[in-house]
Amino acid sequence: MRVACKLAAEVLEMVAPYVAAGVSTEELDRICHDYIVDVQQAIPAPLNYRGFPKSICTSINQQICHGIPSDKKLKNGDIVNIDITVIKDDYHGDTSQMFCIGDVSPHAARLVEITRECLFLGIEQVKPGAHFGDIGHAIQKHAESSRYSVVREFCGHGIGKKFHEEPHVMHFGKMGEGEEIRPGMIFTIEPMINLGKRHMKILADGWTAVTKDRSLSAQWEHTILVTETGYEILTLREDER
Ligand code: MF3
Ligand code: CO
Ligand code: CO
């Protein structure tokens, strides 16, 4: 899992310089696909996963998650999430981050930053004896006190030889609720936070989740290992150390 997760983090580091105005999300998909397959000798997990047609997810502005790369070009002021999952030696590593394209509005930049804080406040709850509800509570509290909303239809997930497994890691909840967190567990935390209301719909492509009120949405994701004393962020990037 450490190897797979490090590779996923390295894909984000590799693609970052290409994420700029004028590039299409399909080009970013090709760059990531070729790097994962040719350089990492790994497998892009999204490709053909339940029929998903591409190797990465790219979710722009009001898109919450599972955006499908296309010939649409990124433009100045966009915010975009790039979500990478690689399979190496049968194990999955899953991580995503937001990118701001050129000059983004202050309200977009604040949403991106608060959502990153939500992820890390959730991660800081992780230790043996804590409960999954503690993670959700920390995220929900920070999001809602910033007058944002938490998407409820998608959650973090156990991960390993399967892309998505038990438990469901909710991004909302109450302290002390849910299963107890135990050493050796590995799961993702990946809050999706909307600038407007929490409600979403799925586009006709069957994948792209968007905010119903068309407000901006942001997401950050890490894969987390529970240690004897706390946590290890398996997908941590150099810029986060
Ligand atoms: N990487 C996403 C997650 O964090 C799942 C993408 S599923 C796909 O769980 F099929 F859209 F790729
Ligand atoms: Co995930
Ligand atoms: Co992901």
Side-chain angles (χ1 to χ4, degrees), residues 83 85 94-95 155-157 159 163-164 188 190 221:
D83 193 338
T85 312
D94 189 8
T95 184
C155 41
H157 49 92
I159 182 167
F163 195 161
H164 297 105
T188 73
E190 48 183 299
E221 174 175 26

Side-chain angles (χ1 to χ4, degrees), residues 150-182:
V150 178
V151 174
R152 307 233 172 171
E153 289 83 352
F154 303 102
C155 41
H157 49 92
I159 182 167
K161 287 193 174 175
K162 287 200 212 132
F163 195 161
H164 297 105
E165 55 187 41
E166 292 294 306
H168 295 284
V169 181
M170 253 77 89
H171 303 117
F172 57 94
K174 296 202 175 75
M175 289 289 292
E177 272 185 0
E179 198 188 334
E180 196 175 304
I181 296 172
R182 296 185 308 276

